[in-house]
Amino acid sequence: MLYRQKKDTYIRNYDGVGYITSIGLFNDRCTNESGAVFLQALKRTPQSLDELVDTIMPQFIGVDRKTILNDAEEFYDSLVADGFIVKGETESELNDKDVGFTYNDVQPKTIRKDFTPVIQRADNSTQEYLEKHFAGRPHLNSFQIELTSRCNERCIHCYIPHKFKLYDITDELFYSTLDQISKMGVLSVTLSGGEPMLHPHFKNYLRAAKQYDFYINILSNLTLLDDEIIQILKEGNVSSIQVSLYSMNPEHHESITKLPGSFEKTKASILKLIENNIPLQVSCPTMKVNKNDYSDVLCWCHEHKIRAYTDCILMAQYNHDTDNLTNRLSIEEVGNILKSIMKDDFDYQNLILAPDFAQRCNEQQFNPERRLCGVGISSCCMVANGNVYPCAGWQEMVLGNINETPLKEIWENSEKIKWLRSLKMKDLGNGECCKCDKAAFCAPCMVRNANESPTGNPLEINKHFCAVAAKNKQIVLDWREAKLKELES
């Protein structure tokens, strides 16, 4: 009998804790130190039980082969049952069972559903276990690499100033970064830009990243997608793409991208990815130009079984230039979008109608001692020149440069990242947010604060988002009151 790791399953050893996760299933498991040894023996090529035991046995002194054989069979069969690995008599049988992601099996229900096939989402105990394991020593799990700051589009809302879109990452820096993050146990790598496919070595970089067995996500406008890139994406372990589609009206889409013909190129590439069963997520940021178009985008994605979402959050440019915010919706326009979204989200409606919902909303407040945000806890980013920064959009907050300092040292010892990790809710706006009755409708974000602040202060409260939270609360509670009256009549 043969066993093999599935294409969309990833395995890591976190200082003696075994971790296996399935991207397609949104499921994961943790094991003890012994389980970690059993996990590490698995490969993406078929192995018999005896071959697996041969790898495992040297790690356990004084344990007889029969005991390990029995334990291994029970352990691996449980992973088969949970959908993490495949088991069969031949490699052909393994291939037939290792279906992975396919749009043919996706059964959409409503526009608001996540269309990725789901068996069981990771339960809280797994995440709590990992948080306790890494308590006091944050572990880098995902890393974003900007391959180039150049872009063939000039999106009117972009938080990266167009005048800075000039540089490509060097081969030396890219390959060194891959090696460093692999040794740090990173699981997920995002290749971004600018437009990453503009880099002359993009295809080689994509192949190299996949050889390290990272889960690869690509942020792209897809206007440069070709058959060779698709083939690389399909080889070996799974990859995914995230793209923005602003409207089903070509004129509206291109009034945002400023690239003639970009609508048809992006749309055609999306359909090509679907045809090749490559996981795809579409975002439709809503602004003044396309404020009436987002529902058409979501409907089109629904018809093609693509995960899709919209939001009204535009961020100022990272150099504090706010010209791009002229495209941001007014509070009333945001309200209209929120009403429309809530109308289609039946799960949310049921939550709102819960007997104690209004009371909980009014009473909820931020705990002053709560961590302000997850920045610097499990992820960070790097631009093409080697500067490391905390999260997407916050390029001004330079934690260090990989050309000068190893990433591991930046992650563990940067004074700025230590400061960010130390911040609590009471530090935001001198504790003002901890007294607000709109906490249930608000998600404070330091990068939004910093980019819009003239001084770059991440602890300066952004009043625009306070107003959005207030509008959201008003809409939800007004809808609830009206719906309850309707149900009573």
Side-chain angles (χ1 to χ4, degrees):
M1 190 62 66
L2 301 173
Y3 294 87
R4 189 181 72 193
Q5 184 180 345
K6 289 183 69 176
K7 289 183 290 187
D8 60 1
T9 294
Y10 297 82
I11 294 170
R12 294 293 185 269
N13 186 330
Y14 296 141
D15 302 325
V17 171
Y19 181 71
I20 184 167
T21 182
S22 169
I23 302 301
L25 303 179
F26 284 105
N27 202 359
D28 61 9
R29 293 284 185 275
C30 284
T31 72
N32 60 11
E33 190 170 356
S34 295
V37 174
F38 283 68
L39 280 179
Q40 288 296 120
L42 288 165
K43 297 179 181 178
R44 296 194 182 277
T45 53
Q47 297 178 89
S48 68
L49 194 58
D50 281 329
E51 288 173 321
L52 287 161
V53 171
D54 288 341
T55 301
I56 295 168
M57 278 201 69
Q59 306 298 317
F60 296 95
I61 306 299
V63 183
D64 64 272
R65 184 180 184 86
K66 184 178 180 181
T67 298
I68 292 179
L69 190 70
N70 291 337
D71 288 348
E73 185 171 22
E74 181 180 355
F75 181 82
Y76 294 133
D77 283 350
S78 71
L79 293 181
V80 171
D82 287 341
F84 292 106
I85 67 176
V86 286
K87 173 184 177 180
E89 296 286 352
T90 64
E91 185 168 0
S92 176
E93 184 181 349
L94 296 179
N95 292 337
D96 290 340
K97 291 180 177 180
D98 193 2
V99 177
F101 179 87
T102 170
Y103 288 94
N104 293 332
D105 291 341
V106 178
Q107 297 295 328
K109 295 180 180 179
T110 73
I111 290 174
R112 300 294 299 164
K113 291 293 182 183
D114 177 344
F115 297 145
T116 300
V118 175
I119 291 178
Q120 177 185 349
R121 289 190 178 275
D123 58 25
N124 290 334
S125 62
T126 302
Q127 299 309 315
E128 288 170 1
Y129 185 90
L130 287 174
E131 285 184 15
K132 289 179 181 178
H133 178 70
F134 291 120
R137 48 190 182 93
H139 174 75
L140 184 60
N141 189 58
S142 60
F143 194 71
Q144 179 170 315
I145 305 174
E146 179 193 79
L147 301 186
T148 177
S149 59
R150 296 184 297 122
C151 190
N152 57 342
E153 295 185 336
R154 286 292 181 267
C155 294
I156 58 177
H157 62 295
C158 187
Y159 55 73
I160 302 175
H162 297 312
K163 63 183 178 181
F164 297 152
K165 298 180 177 180
L166 303 169
Y167 309 104
D168 291 343
I169 196 171
T170 64
D171 287 355
E172 181 182 8
L173 177 56
F174 180 75
Y175 293 120
S176 170
T177 301
L178 288 187
D179 188 57
Q180 290 184 57
I181 60 178
S182 176
K183 290 176 180 176
M184 292 176 70
V186 167
L187 174 66
S188 172
V189 173
T190 297
L191 304 180
S192 71
E195 170 46 54
M197 294 182 191
L198 268 177
H199 195 290
H201 300 157
F202 172 77
K203 295 171 183 177
N204 291 336
Y205 288 173
L206 179 55
R207 288 190 179 97
K210 290 176 78 68
Q211 288 174 2
Y212 277 91
D213 203 28
F214 297 122
Y215 172 63
I216 308 296
N217 183 44
I218 299 169
L219 307 183
S220 171
N221 59 42
L222 296 181
T223 57
L224 302 174
L225 184 73
D226 61 29
D227 290 341
E228 185 179 358
I229 293 174
I230 289 175
Q231 186 56 41
I232 299 170
L233 290 170
K234 293 175 67 175
E235 292 170 357
N237 49 327
V238 71
S239 302
S240 67
I241 308 285
Q242 183 174 328
V243 62
S244 292
L245 186 64
Y246 301 103
S247 174
M248 300 312 296
N249 180 323
E251 182 180 344
H252 289 184
H253 178 90
E254 290 165 18
S255 68
I256 293 174
T257 66
K258 299 300 181 183
L259 179 65
S262 59
F263 172 77
E264 289 300 336
K265 288 180 180 178
T266 296
K267 179 184 173 185
S269 291
I270 289 173
L271 294 175
K272 193 73 172 175
L273 291 172
I274 294 171
E275 179 185 333
N276 285 275
N277 283 319
I278 295 172
L280 177 71
Q281 179 173 292
V282 170
S283 63
C284 181
T286 305
M287 58 201 89
K288 290 188 179 295
V289 174
N290 67 337
K291 64 183 179 182
N292 298 317
D293 299 350
Y294 85 91
S295 60
D296 291 336
V297 173
L298 296 190
C299 284
W300 185 81
C301 290
H302 170 74
E303 291 169 2
H304 291 85
K305 303 180 180 181
I306 310 169
R307 299 170 59 197
Y309 68 95
T310 186
D311 66 59
C312 311
I313 299 173
L314 296 193
M315 206 162 42
Q317 296 181 359
Y318 69 74
N319 65 344
H320 315 298
D321 189 329
T322 58
D323 287 350
N324 65 324
L325 297 184
T326 59
N327 304 290
R328 188 156 69 182
L329 298 178
S330 68
I331 298 301
E332 289 304 314
E333 289 171 327
V334 170
N336 292 335
I337 300 294
L338 294 174
K339 289 177 185 177
S340 177
I341 291 174
M342 190 171 67
K343 183 183 67 174
D344 293 325
D345 195 337
F346 300 110
D347 291 337
Y348 189 33
Q349 290 179 17
N350 291 333
L351 177 66
I352 294 169
L353 293 174
D356 62 342
F357 179 83
Q359 180 181 349
R360 287 189 293 111
C361 286
N362 288 320
E363 292 178 352
Q364 183 171 329
Q365 290 188 335
F366 291 116
N367 180 349
E369 297 300 319
R370 194 199 83 177
R371 183 191 298 146
L372 179 49
C373 87
V375 66
I377 302 302
S378 62
S379 64
C380 65
C381 313
M382 184 187 78
V383 290
N385 66 4
N387 281 343
V388 177
Y389 57 103
C391 57
W394 207 355
Q395 281 92 324
E396 188 187 54
M397 177 62 77
V398 180
L399 306 175
N401 188 288
I402 295 185
N403 288 307
E404 302 165 359
T405 309
L407 178 60
K408 189 174 188 292
E409 185 173 336
I410 295 172
W411 179 254
E412 294 177 352
N413 299 317
S414 162
E415 291 303 319
K416 287 183 179 179
I417 203 168
K418 288 180 180 179
W419 176 71
L420 291 171
R421 290 168 181 159
S422 73
L423 293 173
K424 298 182 179 179
M425 281 302 305
K426 64 184 179 183
D427 298 314
L428 182 61
N430 295 316
E432 182 179 340
C433 291
C434 297
K435 306 170 186 175
C436 182
D437 64 357
K438 303 169 188 67
F441 299 88
C442 184
C445 175
M446 287 195 286
V447 61
R448 294 201 305 251
N449 295 345
N451 285 8
E452 207 159 333
S453 165
T455 61
N457 181 5
L459 302 178
E460 180 181 323
I461 295 174
N462 188 319
K463 295 299 183 180
H464 170 79
F465 293 103
C466 294
V468 170
K471 174 60 71 173
N472 195 1
K473 180 177 180 179
Q474 174 197 334
I475 289 170
V476 168
L477 294 185
D478 285 353
W479 180 90
R480 182 178 190 275
E481 182 179 358
K483 190 67 175 178
L484 289 174
K485 286 181 180 179
E486 176 188 325
L487 293 173
E488 290 172 358
S489 61

